[in-house]
Amino acid sequence: MTPAVLIEKLQKRYGTVEAVKDVSFQIEPGEIFGLLGPNGAGKTTTLRCLCTLTEPDSGRIEVSGISVTEQPRLARQRLGYVAQEIALDKVLTGRELLQLQAALYHLPRAVISDRIESVLSLLGLQDYADKKTGTYSGGLKKRLDLAAGLLHQPDVLVLDEPTVGLDIESRLAVWDFLRRLREQGTTVLLTSHYLEEVDVLADRVAIIDQGVVIACGKPSELKDRVGGDRITLRIREFAPLEEAEKAKSLLQTIPTVQEVIINSSQGNSLNLVVSPQSDALLTVQKVLQEAGLPTFGIAQSRPSLDDVYLAATGRTLLDAEIAAAGTRDEKAERKKSMR
Amino acid sequence: MSSTMTSTKASLNGKVAVAQTPSSANPVGDFFQETIALTRRLFIQLQRRPSTLIAGIIQPLMWLILFGALFQNAPQGLFGDNVNYGQFLGAGVIVFTAFGGALNAGLPVMFDREFGFLNRLLVAPLSSRYSIVAASAIFITAMSLIQTAAIVAMSAFLGAGLPDALGLGLVALIVLLLVVGVTALSLGLAFSLPGHIELIAVIFVTNLPLLFASTALVPLAFMPIWLQWVATLNPLSYAIEPIRYIYLHDNWSLNSIVMQAPWGQVTLGTALLILLSFAAAVLLSIQPRLRRSLA
């Protein structure tokens, strides 16, 4: 079967910045595929290359077997792209925006109004269709943007950070909506830097870091592959580093503890990898108690997608976010996204 | 081209719909569909935010009334035999207004770039991305013709007279040529400059100097020689002088001499040719930039 999306050895550089170094993945029809990574990892650039907004330096990109670089118009017809920033014309009503969208995708006039009604009802927008989009709330805007992306019934719906900036209720509504889309057979590619979002939604996920895919597979498989259980330990709410170091050296002597990492971005808390189904939690508490160290909080869990990321990159997603926040040039990025 | 390639697939509400692929449609029809839709958007914006149009009509009328009054007591015959300043000024205001509107044509496109709306258009399977440019040009041209009509009517009311139908048609053609050239220039800038602040700055430094270095407000003969040279290199003068001539002479023809440039005489026909070349030159020169943004 032809994959819905095929990306092979994608590379894209902006000046001296290698935004995408080596990205390859394949999406089967009907899947929800998640692209997970910190801000600045190359997710948006990958999507922009896929949606013909940016010319890749090298690599192969196909949508339903159509090369996006060789037959961009055909490929565009098969793709629905919902960008991270919601760009609506605030003077138009929702219905007028969809009418514009219908003309841009050359839908036959006979089907346009039926098609608009069906996406409006699909996203629960009937009551707002004839109001100006400038009066919409953030959640409504996103729903209209999704409706616009779906209007021409694309093979693949491409969503860049679909729930960033949304309230919890709208976010859950988007999740629910994407699941219903999958039931109807639409392929969905979404990027996210929310672990939870990818974990609950995606059938398969590619984790991307600094322009490279570092892991790809079903979320459950990826987590199993990392192995071990996780213990998060906070000695104090904000522990001094020496105390954390002291606890670390003590805990490393426990046989069921495989690894200890001090997480400086979380008040010097300790992240432990321990043998699964062991009594490590009790042992850790006992060792701390004997050494006279306090315990502010301690929790054991199965590995998460964050642990998959941590295992591959040596830092947590949050750390990567924080590190990236200081080094990113927002203005330059905005400029490169402008055509 | 009736060979339709259609594929059926389940539509979102469960019914079966026909999904169209671009290869099934004819490219010319597609181009019209997308251009009309994009133009419609601009007219909906105008209808809901009419302030630009209202201001765009009030401003030239103020020019006519206030500037006209400023020179009301100028010595008779200063602007030509039996010509009062109001009659002289009409042509200048028509051209200056059309020029100002066209110069601003790039602003909405720049805002679309900045707010990401342009991306919405660029991910769509447009038959040609020049439909985006065409829609702006159609819109601005329509605006300019509405403004011109208002100025012509007001000038007539103020006693500047009214050219015959053919004359009015030629006035419209001259406005059209200038608007196409300047709109193209503005759209080229809208795709080249980094943001709307820069675009507004360019508009700001272009607008009034080009007005004062043209024959809009005073005849060429009033100017020092160096300014005469500048004014006769200014495309605005080639729109103003023919319109003025048509206004002041019933017996105009393409051979009528409309301007005495320091380097020779300019006929109405030559002025039209120069405007046409200006529009063509600008259209050609922005091609590479547009192709880079819209290819």
Side-chain angles (χ1 to χ4, degrees), chain B residues 201-224:
Chain B
V202 170
I203 291 171
F204 199 72
V205 299
T206 320
N207 209 357
L208 286 181
L210 273 176
L211 171 71
F212 291 126
S214 78
T215 57
L217 303 176
V218 294
L220 207 55
F222 274 34
M223 303 177 188

Side-chain angles (χ1 to χ4, degrees), chain A residues 201-339:
Chain A
L201 277 182
D203 299 308
R204 282 191 314 127
V205 55
I207 301 180
I208 177 169
D209 186 62
Q210 297 179 358
V212 179
V213 171
I214 52 176
C216 187
K218 290 183 179 161
S220 57
E221 282 174 7
L222 291 179
K223 288 185 279 193
D224 288 346
R225 221 180 289 162
V226 202
D229 276 10
R230 296 296 182 280
I231 291 179
T232 310
L233 166 67
R234 308 187 92 164
I235 306 170
R236 299 178 195 278
E237 191 175 4
F238 302 102
L241 186 60
E242 315 89 72
E243 209 171 32
E245 297 279 9
K246 185 180 162 197
K248 181 180 171 181
S249 51
L250 276 171
L251 296 175
Q252 272 168 335
T253 59
I254 304 172
T256 49
V257 172
Q258 296 162 3
E259 202 183 343
V260 184
I261 295 167
I262 297 175
N263 191 341
S264 55
S265 65
Q266 305 245 333
N268 289 329
S269 66
L270 295 157
N271 295 347
L272 284 65
V273 180
V274 300
S275 315
Q277 274 94 45
S278 65
D279 59 352
L281 194 66
L282 292 171
T283 324
V284 166
Q285 280 176 302
K286 213 175 99 200
V287 168
L288 289 174
Q289 216 164 17
E290 281 165 5
L293 284 168
T295 306
F296 178 75
I298 186 162
Q300 182 166 10
S301 62
R302 305 279 307 134
S304 67
L305 280 179
D306 202 13
D307 296 313
V308 177
Y309 182 78
L310 179 71
T313 64
R315 55 182 188 169
T316 65
L317 208 52
L318 185 69
D319 285 340
E321 290 278 311
I322 292 168
T327 57
R328 295 185 84 186
D329 184 348
E330 301 274 353
K331 203 179 163 201
E333 278 173 34
R334 206 170 63 88
K335 208 179 153 208
K336 99 185 168 198
S337 76
M338 259 171 70
R339 289 277 295 233

Side-chain angles (χ1 to χ4, degrees), chain A residues 162-183:
Chain A
T163 64
V164 159
L166 291 190
D167 57 280
I168 298 290
E169 213 169 302
S170 301
R171 175 189 279 195
L172 292 178
V174 169
W175 287 4
D176 185 47
F177 165 73
L178 293 179
R179 290 202 189 94
R180 276 187 290 145
L181 266 191
R182 170 174 51 191
E183 281 164 27

